[in-house]
Short mmCIF file of all heavy atoms in Angstrom, two decimals:
data_model
loop_
_atom_site.label_atom_id
_atom_site.label_comp_id
_atom_site.label_asym_id
_atom_site.label_seq_id
_atom_site.Cartn_x
_atom_site.Cartn_y
_atom_site.Cartn_z
N THR W 1182 1.83 5.32 -13.24
CA THR W 1182 1.03 4.11 -13.01
C THR W 1182 1.08 3.72 -11.54
O THR W 1182 0.04 3.42 -10.93
CB THR W 1182 1.54 2.95 -13.88
OG1 THR W 1182 1.44 3.31 -15.25
CG2 THR W 1182 0.73 1.68 -13.62
N GLN W 1183 2.27 3.73 -10.95
CA GLN W 1183 2.42 3.36 -9.55
C GLN W 1183 1.68 4.33 -8.63
O GLN W 1183 1.02 3.92 -7.67
CB GLN W 1183 3.90 3.31 -9.18
CG GLN W 1183 4.68 2.21 -9.86
CD GLN W 1183 4.37 0.84 -9.31
OE1 GLN W 1183 4.27 0.68 -8.10
NE2 GLN W 1183 4.21 -0.14 -10.17
N GLU W 1184 1.79 5.62 -8.91
CA GLU W 1184 1.10 6.63 -8.10
C GLU W 1184 -0.40 6.47 -8.21
O GLU W 1184 -1.12 6.62 -7.21
CB GLU W 1184 1.53 8.03 -8.54
CG GLU W 1184 2.97 8.36 -8.18
CD GLU W 1184 3.50 9.57 -8.93
OE1 GLU W 1184 2.83 10.06 -9.87
OE2 GLU W 1184 4.61 10.04 -8.59
N THR W 1185 -0.89 6.18 -9.41
CA THR W 1185 -2.33 6.00 -9.60
C THR W 1185 -2.84 4.79 -8.82
O THR W 1185 -3.89 4.86 -8.16
CB THR W 1185 -2.65 5.81 -11.10
OG1 THR W 1185 -2.18 6.94 -11.83
CG2 THR W 1185 -4.15 5.65 -11.33
N GLU W 1186 -2.10 3.68 -8.88
CA GLU W 1186 -2.51 2.48 -8.16
C GLU W 1186 -2.59 2.73 -6.66
O GLU W 1186 -3.55 2.31 -5.99
CB GLU W 1186 -1.54 1.34 -8.45
CG GLU W 1186 -1.65 0.79 -9.88
CD GLU W 1186 -0.71 -0.37 -10.11
OE1 GLU W 1186 0.11 -0.67 -9.20
OE2 GLU W 1186 -0.79 -1.00 -11.17
N LEU W 1187 -1.59 3.40 -6.13
CA LEU W 1187 -1.56 3.66 -4.70
C LEU W 1187 -2.65 4.66 -4.32
O LEU W 1187 -3.35 4.49 -3.30
CB LEU W 1187 -0.18 4.19 -4.30
CG LEU W 1187 0.08 4.45 -2.82
CD1 LEU W 1187 -0.28 3.24 -1.98
CD2 LEU W 1187 1.54 4.85 -2.60
N MET W 1188 -2.81 5.70 -5.12
CA MET W 1188 -3.85 6.70 -4.86
C MET W 1188 -5.23 6.06 -4.92
O MET W 1188 -6.12 6.42 -4.13
CB MET W 1188 -3.73 7.83 -5.87
CG MET W 1188 -4.51 9.08 -5.52
SD MET W 1188 -3.82 9.93 -4.09
CE MET W 1188 -4.98 11.30 -3.93
N TRP W 1189 -5.42 5.12 -5.83
CA TRP W 1189 -6.71 4.44 -5.98
C TRP W 1189 -7.09 3.70 -4.70
O TRP W 1189 -8.25 3.69 -4.27
CB TRP W 1189 -6.64 3.49 -7.17
CG TRP W 1189 -7.96 2.90 -7.58
CD1 TRP W 1189 -8.39 1.63 -7.36
CD2 TRP W 1189 -9.01 3.57 -8.28
NE1 TRP W 1189 -9.64 1.46 -7.90
CE2 TRP W 1189 -10.05 2.63 -8.47
CE3 TRP W 1189 -9.17 4.87 -8.77
CZ2 TRP W 1189 -11.24 2.95 -9.12
CZ3 TRP W 1189 -10.36 5.19 -9.43
CH2 TRP W 1189 -11.38 4.24 -9.59
N VAL W 1190 -6.11 3.05 -4.09
CA VAL W 1190 -6.38 2.36 -2.82
C VAL W 1190 -6.69 3.37 -1.73
O VAL W 1190 -7.66 3.22 -0.97
CB VAL W 1190 -5.16 1.50 -2.41
CG1 VAL W 1190 -5.39 0.89 -1.03
CG2 VAL W 1190 -4.92 0.39 -3.43
N PHE W 1191 -5.91 4.44 -1.65
CA PHE W 1191 -6.11 5.45 -0.60
C PHE W 1191 -7.48 6.12 -0.69
O PHE W 1191 -8.15 6.31 0.33
CB PHE W 1191 -5.01 6.51 -0.67
CG PHE W 1191 -3.80 6.20 0.17
CD1 PHE W 1191 -2.53 6.20 -0.39
CD2 PHE W 1191 -3.92 5.95 1.53
CE1 PHE W 1191 -1.40 5.93 0.37
CE2 PHE W 1191 -2.81 5.68 2.31
CZ PHE W 1191 -1.55 5.67 1.72
N VAL W 1192 -7.90 6.54 -1.90
CA VAL W 1192 -9.15 7.30 -2.00
C VAL W 1192 -10.36 6.45 -1.63
O VAL W 1192 -11.38 6.98 -1.17
CB VAL W 1192 -9.34 7.92 -3.40
CG1 VAL W 1192 -8.26 8.93 -3.70
CG2 VAL W 1192 -9.45 6.86 -4.49
N HIS W 1193 -10.26 5.14 -1.81
CA HIS W 1193 -11.37 4.28 -1.43
C HIS W 1193 -11.35 3.94 0.06
O HIS W 1193 -12.23 3.21 0.55
CB HIS W 1193 -11.37 3.01 -2.27
CG HIS W 1193 -11.85 3.24 -3.68
ND1 HIS W 1193 -10.99 3.42 -4.74
CD2 HIS W 1193 -13.10 3.37 -4.18
CE1 HIS W 1193 -11.70 3.62 -5.84
NE2 HIS W 1193 -12.98 3.61 -5.52
N HIS W 1194 -10.37 4.47 0.76
CA HIS W 1194 -10.31 4.35 2.22
C HIS W 1194 -9.97 5.73 2.80
O HIS W 1194 -9.16 5.86 3.70
CB HIS W 1194 -9.25 3.34 2.65
CG HIS W 1194 -9.52 1.94 2.16
ND1 HIS W 1194 -9.13 1.51 0.90
CD2 HIS W 1194 -10.14 0.89 2.74
CE1 HIS W 1194 -9.50 0.24 0.75
NE2 HIS W 1194 -10.11 -0.15 1.85
N LEU W 1195 -10.60 6.76 2.23
CA LEU W 1195 -10.31 8.13 2.65
C LEU W 1195 -10.54 8.31 4.15
O LEU W 1195 -11.54 7.84 4.69
CB LEU W 1195 -11.21 9.09 1.87
CG LEU W 1195 -10.82 10.58 1.88
CD1 LEU W 1195 -9.46 10.79 1.21
CD2 LEU W 1195 -11.89 11.40 1.17
N GLU W 1196 -9.57 8.96 4.80
CA GLU W 1196 -9.61 9.23 6.24
C GLU W 1196 -9.53 7.96 7.09
O GLU W 1196 -9.84 7.98 8.27
CB GLU W 1196 -10.89 10.02 6.63
CG GLU W 1196 -11.10 11.29 5.84
CD GLU W 1196 -10.05 12.37 6.12
OE1 GLU W 1196 -9.28 12.22 7.08
OE2 GLU W 1196 -10.00 13.34 5.34
N GLN W 1197 -9.09 6.86 6.47
CA GLN W 1197 -8.92 5.61 7.21
C GLN W 1197 -7.43 5.26 7.28
O GLN W 1197 -6.71 5.44 6.31
CB GLN W 1197 -9.66 4.45 6.54
CG GLN W 1197 -11.17 4.62 6.45
CD GLN W 1197 -11.82 3.48 5.69
OE1 GLN W 1197 -11.34 2.34 5.71
NE2 GLN W 1197 -12.92 3.76 5.02
N VAL W 1198 -7.00 4.75 8.41
CA VAL W 1198 -5.61 4.35 8.55
C VAL W 1198 -5.41 2.99 7.90
O VAL W 1198 -6.14 2.03 8.20
CB VAL W 1198 -5.20 4.27 10.04
CG1 VAL W 1198 -3.75 3.79 10.17
CG2 VAL W 1198 -5.37 5.62 10.72
N LEU W 1199 -4.45 2.92 6.97
CA LEU W 1199 -4.13 1.68 6.29
C LEU W 1199 -2.74 1.21 6.72
O LEU W 1199 -1.79 1.98 6.69
CB LEU W 1199 -4.15 1.88 4.77
CG LEU W 1199 -5.47 2.38 4.17
CD1 LEU W 1199 -5.35 2.56 2.66
CD2 LEU W 1199 -6.62 1.43 4.50
N SER W 1200 -2.66 -0.02 7.14
CA SER W 1200 -1.38 -0.54 7.63
C SER W 1200 -0.40 -0.74 6.48
O SER W 1200 -0.79 -0.91 5.32
CB SER W 1200 -1.59 -1.87 8.36
OG SER W 1200 -1.96 -2.88 7.44
N ARG W 1201 0.87 -0.74 6.80
CA ARG W 1201 1.90 -1.00 5.81
C ARG W 1201 1.69 -2.39 5.20
O ARG W 1201 1.87 -2.59 4.00
CB ARG W 1201 3.29 -0.92 6.46
CG ARG W 1201 4.43 -1.22 5.50
CD ARG W 1201 5.77 -1.27 6.21
NE ARG W 1201 6.22 0.05 6.63
CZ ARG W 1201 6.20 0.48 7.89
NH1 ARG W 1201 5.71 -0.30 8.84
NH2 ARG W 1201 6.65 1.68 8.18
N GLU W 1202 1.29 -3.36 6.04
CA GLU W 1202 1.08 -4.72 5.55
C GLU W 1202 -0.03 -4.77 4.51
O GLU W 1202 0.10 -5.42 3.46
CB GLU W 1202 0.74 -5.65 6.73
CG GLU W 1202 1.87 -5.89 7.71
CD GLU W 1202 2.09 -4.72 8.67
OE1 GLU W 1202 1.24 -3.80 8.71
OE2 GLU W 1202 3.11 -4.74 9.38
N TYR W 1203 -1.13 -4.08 4.77
CA TYR W 1203 -2.26 -4.07 3.83
C TYR W 1203 -1.85 -3.41 2.52
O TYR W 1203 -2.12 -3.94 1.43
CB TYR W 1203 -3.44 -3.32 4.45
CG TYR W 1203 -4.61 -3.16 3.49
CD1 TYR W 1203 -5.48 -4.22 3.26
CD2 TYR W 1203 -4.82 -1.96 2.82
CE1 TYR W 1203 -6.55 -4.07 2.37
CE2 TYR W 1203 -5.87 -1.81 1.93
CZ TYR W 1203 -6.74 -2.87 1.72
OH TYR W 1203 -7.78 -2.73 0.83
N LEU W 1204 -1.21 -2.26 2.61
CA LEU W 1204 -0.79 -1.55 1.40
C LEU W 1204 0.22 -2.36 0.60
O LEU W 1204 0.17 -2.39 -0.63
CB LEU W 1204 -0.21 -0.18 1.78
CG LEU W 1204 -1.22 0.84 2.30
CD1 LEU W 1204 -0.50 2.02 2.93
CD2 LEU W 1204 -2.13 1.32 1.17
N PHE W 1205 1.12 -3.02 1.29
CA PHE W 1205 2.14 -3.82 0.63
C PHE W 1205 1.47 -4.93 -0.19
O PHE W 1205 1.82 -5.16 -1.36
CB PHE W 1205 3.08 -4.43 1.67
CG PHE W 1205 4.35 -4.99 1.10
CD1 PHE W 1205 5.50 -4.23 1.06
CD2 PHE W 1205 4.40 -6.28 0.60
CE1 PHE W 1205 6.68 -4.74 0.53
CE2 PHE W 1205 5.57 -6.80 0.07
CZ PHE W 1205 6.72 -6.03 0.05
N GLU W 1206 0.51 -5.62 0.40
CA GLU W 1206 -0.17 -6.71 -0.30
C GLU W 1206 -0.99 -6.18 -1.47
O GLU W 1206 -1.05 -6.82 -2.53
CB GLU W 1206 -1.06 -7.48 0.67
CG GLU W 1206 -0.28 -8.29 1.69
CD GLU W 1206 -1.16 -9.07 2.64
OE1 GLU W 1206 -2.39 -9.10 2.40
OE2 GLU W 1206 -0.65 -9.66 3.61
N GLN W 1207 -1.62 -5.02 -1.32
CA GLN W 1207 -2.43 -4.45 -2.38
C GLN W 1207 -1.59 -3.97 -3.55
O GLN W 1207 -1.96 -4.17 -4.72
CB GLN W 1207 -3.25 -3.26 -1.84
CG GLN W 1207 -4.35 -3.64 -0.87
CD GLN W 1207 -5.47 -4.42 -1.53
OE1 GLN W 1207 -5.98 -4.03 -2.56
NE2 GLN W 1207 -5.85 -5.52 -0.92
N ILE W 1208 -0.45 -3.35 -3.28
CA ILE W 1208 0.36 -2.71 -4.33
C ILE W 1208 1.48 -3.60 -4.83
O ILE W 1208 1.69 -3.73 -6.04
CB ILE W 1208 0.93 -1.37 -3.82
CG1 ILE W 1208 -0.20 -0.44 -3.37
CG2 ILE W 1208 1.77 -0.71 -4.91
CD1 ILE W 1208 -1.21 -0.12 -4.46
N ILE W 1209 2.22 -4.24 -3.93
CA ILE W 1209 3.35 -5.08 -4.32
C ILE W 1209 2.87 -6.46 -4.75
O ILE W 1209 3.41 -7.07 -5.66
CB ILE W 1209 4.39 -5.20 -3.19
CG1 ILE W 1209 4.84 -3.80 -2.73
CG2 ILE W 1209 5.59 -6.02 -3.65
CD1 ILE W 1209 5.51 -2.98 -3.80
N GLY W 1210 1.82 -6.94 -4.09
CA GLY W 1210 1.22 -8.20 -4.50
C GLY W 1210 1.71 -9.43 -3.76
O GLY W 1210 1.49 -10.54 -4.19
N ARG W 1211 2.41 -9.23 -2.65
CA ARG W 1211 2.83 -10.36 -1.83
C ARG W 1211 2.83 -9.94 -0.37
O ARG W 1211 2.73 -8.76 -0.05
CB ARG W 1211 4.21 -10.87 -2.26
CG ARG W 1211 5.29 -9.80 -2.32
CD ARG W 1211 6.58 -10.35 -2.91
NE ARG W 1211 7.53 -9.30 -3.25
CZ ARG W 1211 8.40 -8.76 -2.40
NH1 ARG W 1211 8.42 -9.17 -1.14
NH2 ARG W 1211 9.24 -7.82 -2.79
N GLU W 1212 2.93 -10.92 0.51
CA GLU W 1212 2.90 -10.62 1.94
C GLU W 1212 4.13 -9.83 2.36
O GLU W 1212 5.23 -10.03 1.85
CB GLU W 1212 2.82 -11.92 2.76
CG GLU W 1212 1.48 -12.63 2.63
CD GLU W 1212 1.38 -13.80 3.58
OE1 GLU W 1212 2.33 -14.01 4.38
OE2 GLU W 1212 0.35 -14.51 3.54
N TYR W 1213 3.92 -8.92 3.30
CA TYR W 1213 5.01 -8.10 3.81
C TYR W 1213 5.90 -8.94 4.70
O TYR W 1213 5.43 -9.68 5.58
CB TYR W 1213 4.42 -6.93 4.61
CG TYR W 1213 5.46 -5.99 5.18
CD1 TYR W 1213 6.38 -5.36 4.37
CD2 TYR W 1213 5.50 -5.73 6.55
CE1 TYR W 1213 7.32 -4.50 4.89
CE2 TYR W 1213 6.44 -4.86 7.08
CZ TYR W 1213 7.34 -4.24 6.24
OH TYR W 1213 8.27 -3.39 6.76
N ASP W 1214 7.23 -8.86 4.48
CA ASP W 1214 8.17 -9.69 5.24
C ASP W 1214 8.75 -8.98 6.45
O ASP W 1214 9.60 -9.54 7.16
CB ASP W 1214 9.30 -10.18 4.33
CG ASP W 1214 10.12 -9.03 3.74
OD1 ASP W 1214 9.91 -7.87 4.15
OD2 ASP W 1214 10.98 -9.30 2.87
N GLY W 1215 8.30 -7.75 6.69
CA GLY W 1215 8.79 -7.01 7.85
C GLY W 1215 10.05 -6.22 7.60
O GLY W 1215 10.46 -5.43 8.45
N LEU W 1216 10.67 -6.40 6.43
CA LEU W 1216 11.94 -5.74 6.13
C LEU W 1216 11.89 -4.89 4.87
O LEU W 1216 12.58 -3.87 4.79
CB LEU W 1216 13.05 -6.79 5.98
CG LEU W 1216 13.33 -7.68 7.19
CD1 LEU W 1216 14.33 -8.77 6.83
CD2 LEU W 1216 13.84 -6.87 8.36
N ASP W 1217 11.13 -5.29 3.90
CA ASP W 1217 11.11 -4.62 2.59
C ASP W 1217 10.61 -3.18 2.73
O ASP W 1217 9.55 -2.92 3.29
CB ASP W 1217 10.18 -5.40 1.65
CG ASP W 1217 10.47 -5.10 0.19
OD1 ASP W 1217 10.63 -3.90 -0.13
OD2 ASP W 1217 10.52 -6.04 -0.61
N ARG W 1218 11.37 -2.24 2.16
CA ARG W 1218 11.02 -0.82 2.26
C ARG W 1218 10.27 -0.30 1.04
O ARG W 1218 10.01 0.89 0.93
CB ARG W 1218 12.31 0.01 2.43
CG ARG W 1218 13.07 -0.26 3.73
CD ARG W 1218 14.19 0.73 3.87
NE ARG W 1218 13.71 2.11 3.87
CZ ARG W 1218 14.49 3.17 3.66
NH1 ARG W 1218 15.77 2.99 3.40
NH2 ARG W 1218 13.99 4.38 3.68
N ALA W 1219 9.91 -1.20 0.15
CA ALA W 1219 9.28 -0.77 -1.10
C ALA W 1219 8.05 0.08 -0.87
O ALA W 1219 7.85 1.11 -1.53
CB ALA W 1219 8.92 -1.99 -1.95
N MET W 1220 7.20 -0.33 0.07
CA MET W 1220 5.95 0.40 0.29
C MET W 1220 6.21 1.79 0.85
O MET W 1220 5.60 2.78 0.42
CB MET W 1220 5.04 -0.38 1.24
CG MET W 1220 3.58 0.02 1.17
SD MET W 1220 2.92 -0.38 -0.46
CE MET W 1220 2.82 1.21 -1.22
N ASP W 1221 7.12 1.89 1.80
CA ASP W 1221 7.44 3.20 2.38
C ASP W 1221 7.96 4.16 1.32
O ASP W 1221 7.62 5.34 1.31
CB ASP W 1221 8.49 3.05 3.49
CG ASP W 1221 7.98 2.25 4.67
OD1 ASP W 1221 6.79 2.40 5.01
OD2 ASP W 1221 8.75 1.48 5.25
N LEU W 1222 8.77 3.64 0.40
CA LEU W 1222 9.33 4.49 -0.65
C LEU W 1222 8.26 4.96 -1.62
O LEU W 1222 8.26 6.12 -2.06
CB LEU W 1222 10.42 3.72 -1.40
CG LEU W 1222 11.66 3.37 -0.58
CD1 LEU W 1222 12.53 2.36 -1.31
CD2 LEU W 1222 12.46 4.63 -0.25
#
């Protein structure tokens, strides 16, 4: 489920650079605090 959600965001921005902050808000559902490694993992 997690891989599908992340892949879904990526394919709709194919060949586009997505910031960690944007991905964090899309997948985790809250603002990035600058420390959380959840998105990188």
Side-chain angles (χ1 to χ4, degrees):
T1182 300
Q1183 293 287 317
E1184 290 164 350
T1185 302
E1186 289 182 353
L1187 183 52
M1188 194 69 182
W1189 190 255
V1190 174
F1191 269 126
V1192 296
H1193 285 98
H1194 299 85
L1195 196 63
E1196 307 293 348
Q1197 299 176 30
V1198 178
L1199 301 179
S1200 69
R1201 179 186 288 105
E1202 292 77 11
Y1203 175 79
L1204 290 167
F1205 194 95
E1206 290 181 8
Q1207 291 292 311
I1208 302 301
I1209 305 298
R1211 53 187 168 85
E1212 290 187 4
Y1213 181 57
D1214 61 8
L1216 300 173
D1217 201 314
R1218 295 188 58 197
M1220 200 65 255
D1221 295 323
L1222 294 168

